[in-house]
């Protein structure tokens, strides 16, 4: 049996949702690796973006400064924001979003904790999520920590529209959530009721663990499939694409994250300088 | 016409209370040399328009220049939240309007096309629409569908950083274009900083890489490393070590003042010198 870690299980599940010939954003390390894994296995026509600085068809290499190392060496095709949003409006774009909160109806929040006018914690702002949740036919989310604070009954602020009453009145199915991958399992939504349901649980995860880690009601049937674990080939592709383990930063916080960051930063700098001679002094 | 000017001349064109659109995205190609000049000026009550903002918004809030921010995002990606932005949001110290990436673009595009608004599906079903004082829902006059009307955004000034420019104001962008061309077209006046200024006959050989046209540009400043500490593909990448230094200083009051003295209350040449000079920066950041 192949050995694998939870990040590899999550990334593998994310990759399996991607197919066809779409622009795929890779703004996080997990998203980047999922796109790369899918392209290396079952979805060779994906056009992977290395945003914000390398354009289309970069070989995604998770780096601390997003795609910024890659442009010169890999000659990706530079895009503008208009190119990217036209791809979103025409449903030729896919993105794995890592929200701060997601609720039972698939509404997601990356804006604020607490009320918008007087936030307890001001996060970052909705970015392009409202465009994704009004246009894309796949709504893809992942969480590295499935807890009652991240999977909640109601999000504090709806940055991206799940199955809510306004959606029903104005958008119909355009941009509805379709998949959530967490460290515990793979989830989806019932299109009629708009409620979250479980598709599979990762090996070793019990329904009680999910119930305890979920801040909203969730239907857990008696016969839940076990998630297909990563194959040896899949883990090998992830290891080769992310030798510095930038992905692990998304699992850590505080001092641990700072130490990991410093170690990766130095190794990344050395690796880049060894591999790619500078163009000019 | 020769539009080459100094940074101070650019700042002189930005009055108190001006609406300033800033180009670039995230940690990429922000006009940081011009932003630092604005931060050390005595301007106040600026209204900023950014798409994916970060260091530029945080620095201008942290130096007390800002009355209002229209934004889709303000942060430092994997490096963390923006300290001054976060504090100002939580304290309610200045005004904020949360827009989205496309609606900022649509607002600029409406200004360019001289229409009062542009329609979109974006923000339907979200609290961005519920909390917005700017957007309104409308009915499609043809089929009755509900849409969101995004009002025109007209910047007084756009500040952009490009790889190359010529003295007439044409600008070459070699990496991702972000929404810089929209800023340039929508603003009453656009100012560029450029890594290097070339003669027009050389710039013309760049063909479609000329994203910014001289007919929209008022002034050009030559500023090598002018996007630092954000990146400028393919010349140099974002300086994450400096991002950490910035964030450390911005989180703590005493350190912030020292940071400003060292990096902001100095001209651009001395800024580069404070970082060890062009050679040291090159060794760290050019790949």
């Amino acid at each position: 049996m192949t050995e694998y870690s939870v990040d590899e299980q999550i990334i593998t599940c994310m990759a399996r949702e991607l197919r066809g010939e779409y622009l795929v954003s890779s703004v996080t390390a997990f998203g980047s690796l999922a796109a790369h894994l899918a392209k290396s296995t079952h979805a060779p026509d994906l056009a992977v973006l290395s945003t914000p600085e390398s354009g289309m068809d970069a070989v995604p290499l998770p780096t601390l400064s997003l795609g910024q190392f890659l442009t010169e060496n890999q000659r990706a095709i530079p895009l503008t924001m208009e190119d990217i949003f036209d791809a979103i409006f025409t449903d030729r774009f896919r993105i794995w979003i890592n929200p701060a909160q997601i609720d039972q109806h698939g509404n997601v929040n990356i804006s604020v904790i607490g009320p918008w006018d007087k936030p307890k914690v001001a996060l970052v702002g909705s970015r392009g999520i409202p465009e994704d949740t009004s246009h894309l036919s796949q709504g893809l989310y992942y969480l590295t920590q499935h807890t009652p604070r991240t999977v909640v009954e109601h999000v504090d602020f709806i940055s991206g529209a799940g199955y809510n009453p306004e959606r029903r009145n104005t958008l119909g199915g355009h941009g509805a959530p379709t998949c959530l991958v967490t460290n515990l399992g793979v989830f989806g939504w019932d299109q009629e009721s708009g409620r979250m349901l479980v598709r599979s649980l990762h090996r070793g995860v019990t329904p009680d663990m999910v119930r305890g880690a979920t801040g909203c009601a969730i239907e857990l049937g008696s016969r839940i499939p076990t998630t297909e674990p990563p194959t040896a080939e899949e883990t090998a592709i992830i290891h080769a694409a992310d030798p510095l383990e930038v992905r692990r930063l998304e699992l850590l916080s505080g001092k641990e994250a700072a130490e990991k960051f410093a170690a990766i930063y130095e190794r990344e700098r050395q690796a880049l300088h060894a591999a790619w001679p500078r163009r000019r002094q | 016409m020769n539009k080459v000017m100094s940074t101070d001349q650019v700042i002189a064109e930005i009055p108190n209370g001006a609406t300033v659109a800033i180009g670039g995205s995230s940690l990429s190609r922000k006009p940081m040399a011009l932003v630092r000049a604005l931060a050390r000026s005595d301007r106040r009550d600026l209204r900023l328009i950014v798409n994916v903002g970060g260091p530029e918004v945080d620095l201008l809030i942290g130096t007390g220049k800002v009355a209002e921010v229209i934004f889709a995002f303000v942060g430092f990606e994997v490096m963390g939240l923006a300290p001054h932005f976060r504090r100002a949001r939580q304290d309610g110290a200045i005004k904020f309007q949360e827009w989205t990436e496309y609606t900022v673009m649509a607002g600029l595009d409406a200004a360019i096309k001289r229409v009062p608004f542009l329609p979109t599906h974006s923000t339907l079903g979200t609290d961005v629409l519920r909390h917005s004082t700017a957007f309104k829902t409308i009915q499609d006059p043809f089929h009755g569908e509900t849409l969101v009307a995004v009002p025109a955004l007209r910047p007084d000034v756009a500040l952009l950083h490009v790889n190359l420019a010529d003295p007439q104001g044409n600008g070459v962008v070699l990496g991702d274009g972000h929404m810089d061309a929209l800023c340039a077209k929508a603003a009453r006046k656009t100012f560029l900083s450029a890594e290097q200024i070339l003669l027009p006959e050389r710039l013309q050989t760049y063909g479609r890489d000329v994203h910014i046209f001289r007919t929209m540009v008022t002034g050009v400043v030559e500023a090598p490393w002018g996007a630092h500490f954000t990146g400028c593909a393919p010349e140099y990448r974002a300086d994450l070590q400096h991002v950490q230094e910035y964030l450390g200083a911005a989180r703590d009051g005493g350190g912030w003042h020292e940071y400003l003295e060292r990096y902001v209350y100095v001209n651009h040449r001395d800024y580069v010198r404070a970082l060890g000079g062009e050679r040291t920066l090159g060794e760290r950041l050019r790949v």
Side-chain angles (χ1 to χ4, degrees):
Chain A
M1 195 170 74
T2 312
E3 280 194 30
Y4 60 90
S5 54
V6 65
D7 46 291
E8 289 151 9
Q9 176 72 80
I10 296 172
I11 290 163
T12 305
C13 292
M14 291 163 67
R16 290 170 186 160
E17 296 295 312
L18 299 171
R19 59 188 74 88
E21 187 166 11
Y22 292 93
L23 286 180
V24 187
S25 169
S26 61
V27 85
T28 65
F30 275 57
S32 168
L33 286 165
H36 176 62
L37 179 56
K39 191 178 167 78
S40 307
T41 52
H42 61 276
D45 295 328
L46 292 175
V48 179
L49 294 176
S50 192
T51 49
E53 197 61 295
S54 287
M56 186 178 85
D57 277 338
V59 175
L61 172 71
T63 58
L64 296 170
S65 53
L66 306 173
Q68 294 201 11
F69 300 104
L70 305 177
T71 308
E72 189 188 347
N73 306 285
Q74 303 189 349
R75 309 217 178 277
I77 301 167
L79 302 179
T80 66
M81 293 285 268
E82 286 152 288
D83 296 325
I84 290 171
F85 282 95
D86 288 349
I88 291 172
F89 298 146
T90 51
D91 196 20
R92 294 192 176 99
F93 183 88
R94 294 291 179 260
I95 182 168
W96 278 99
I97 293 167
N98 178 211
Q101 294 175 323
I102 187 164
D103 69 22
Q104 56 188 329
H105 300 295
N107 297 301
V108 294
N109 174 21
I110 61 166
S111 294
V112 287
I113 302 299
W116 189 89
D117 299 325
K118 190 92 177 107
K120 198 167 137 218
V121 183
L123 303 173
V124 288
S126 296
R127 205 162 181 166
I129 294 182
E131 285 83 22
D132 301 326
T133 63
S134 52
H135 293 89
L136 301 180
S137 56
Q138 278 185 291
L140 306 173
Y141 302 98
Y142 76 95
L143 292 171
T144 57
Q145 312 276 353
H146 185 141
T147 74
R149 290 173 60 187
T150 56
V151 186
V152 298
E153 189 153 5
H154 297 288
V155 294
D156 291 3
F157 183 90
I158 300 176
S159 306
Y163 285 98
N164 62 45
E166 287 81 3
R167 154 174 303 284
R168 291 205 190 278
N169 294 335
T170 56
L171 293 169
H174 293 287
T178 55
C179 185
L180 167 69
V181 179
T182 77
N183 55 318
L184 300 182
V186 181
F187 304 84
W189 279 267
D190 181 277
Q191 289 183 25
E192 289 302 312
S193 70
R195 287 193 173 274
M196 190 188 292
L197 45 82
V198 61
R199 276 169 45 186
S200 68
L201 297 183
H202 303 330
R203 185 177 289 172
V205 175
T206 64
D208 274 347
M209 287 164 71
V210 176
R211 222 169 267 125
T214 304
C216 59
I218 182 162
E219 211 162 303
L220 294 159
S222 53
R223 298 180 61 185
I224 304 169
T226 301
T227 309
E228 194 65 42
T231 64
E233 188 202 1
E234 285 168 329
T235 51
I237 291 168
I238 294 169
H239 291 173
D242 186 25
L244 305 181
E245 298 183 337
V246 178
R247 65 189 183 279
R248 294 272 156 84
L249 279 177
E250 293 185 36
L251 303 171
L252 303 173
S253 62
K255 188 157 172 272
E256 276 183 330
E259 282 168 10
K260 182 80 179 165
F261 180 90
I264 294 173
Y265 182 85
E266 185 51 30
R267 285 173 63 195
E268 187 173 284
R269 197 178 68 79
Q270 288 171 4
L272 286 162
H273 278 248
W276 293 323
R278 291 191 297 282
R279 194 167 50 137
R280 57 165 134 128
Q281 179 42 50
Chain B
M1 196 198 310
N2 185 345
K3 297 174 186 167
V4 178
M5 56 171 67
S6 69
T7 306
D8 289 343
Q9 285 172 304
V10 173
I11 302 307
E13 299 263 8
I14 305 174
N16 290 336
T19 299
V20 181
I22 304 177
S25 182
S26 183
L27 294 176
S28 161
R29 214 163 40 71
K30 294 279 168 69
M32 293 303 292
L34 296 177
V35 168
R36 277 187 292 272
L38 201 48
R40 65 178 170 267
S41 74
D42 60 2
R43 295 300 175 278
R44 55 187 162 73
D45 299 333
L46 299 175
R47 191 162 168 260
L48 303 183
I49 298 173
V50 296
N51 197 321
V52 179
E56 80 287 36
V57 176
D58 201 71
L59 176 60
L60 291 171
I61 292 175
T63 48
K65 306 299 169 199
V66 182
E68 183 171 18
V69 187
I70 292 175
F71 68 100
F73 174 99
V74 179
F76 286 79
E77 305 289 357
V78 70
M79 312 286 294
L81 301 173
H84 293 113
F85 166 80
R86 180 177 169 182
R87 224 169 285 147
R89 280 285 280 113
Q90 291 168 200
D91 298 347
I94 59 180
K95 283 174 71 181
F96 290 93
Q97 290 187 40
E98 182 165 332
W99 289 37
T100 71
E101 290 186 51
Y102 172 70
T103 51
V104 171
M105 291 161 62
L108 295 171
D109 204 14
I112 293 166
K113 295 177 164 68
R114 211 178 59 76
V115 293
F117 67 89
L118 282 175
T120 178
H121 293 100
S122 174
T123 75
L124 286 169
T126 74
D127 286 340
V128 176
L129 178 59
R130 196 193 313 270
H131 283 260
S132 176
T133 52
F135 304 161
K136 289 191 191 309
T137 54
I138 52 164
Q139 303 304 311
D140 160 15
F142 300 101
H143 305 101
E145 190 184 3
T146 299
L147 294 164
V148 176
V150 179
L153 277 180
R154 168 72 79 182
D156 297 312
V157 175
L159 302 178
L160 309 173
H161 184 75
V162 297
N163 297 81
L164 303 166
D166 70 18
Q168 312 174 96
N170 290 307
V172 166
V173 174
L174 296 174
D176 284 357
H178 308 312
M179 63 160 195
D180 289 16
L182 284 173
C183 291
K185 290 173 185 171
R188 293 187 173 87
K189 289 181 179 177
T190 293
F191 298 94
L192 309 181
S193 57
E195 290 295 313
Q196 202 183 350
I197 294 179
L198 301 178
L199 291 173
E201 50 268 38
R202 280 213 37 217
L203 202 92
Q204 286 199 355
T205 64
Y206 282 84
R208 291 285 293 171
D209 289 338
V210 182
H211 276 243
I212 310 297
F213 308 129
R214 65 183 172 86
T215 47
M216 313 158 203
V217 173
T218 301
V220 187
V221 177
E222 190 170 58
W225 296 95
H228 187 275
F229 51 93
T230 67
C232 182
E235 304 289 334
Y236 50 88
R237 61 197 172 95
D239 187 346
L240 298 186
Q241 214 169 302
H242 194 90
V243 171
Q244 283 192 315
E245 190 175 345
Y246 176 90
L247 291 175
R251 284 178 193 133
D252 126 55
W256 181 238
H257 189 71
E258 279 167 36
Y259 180 91
L260 293 178
E261 289 290 338
R262 188 168 160 81
Y263 296 118
V264 179
Y265 300 151
V266 295
N267 65 32
H268 185 60
R269 186 183 304 219
D270 288 340
Y271 173 79
V272 173
R273 204 171 286 149
L275 292 157
E278 291 205 42
R279 192 190 165 96
T280 306
L281 279 177
E283 286 184 352
R284 284 205 297 117
L285 302 173
R286 286 195 200 280
V287 292

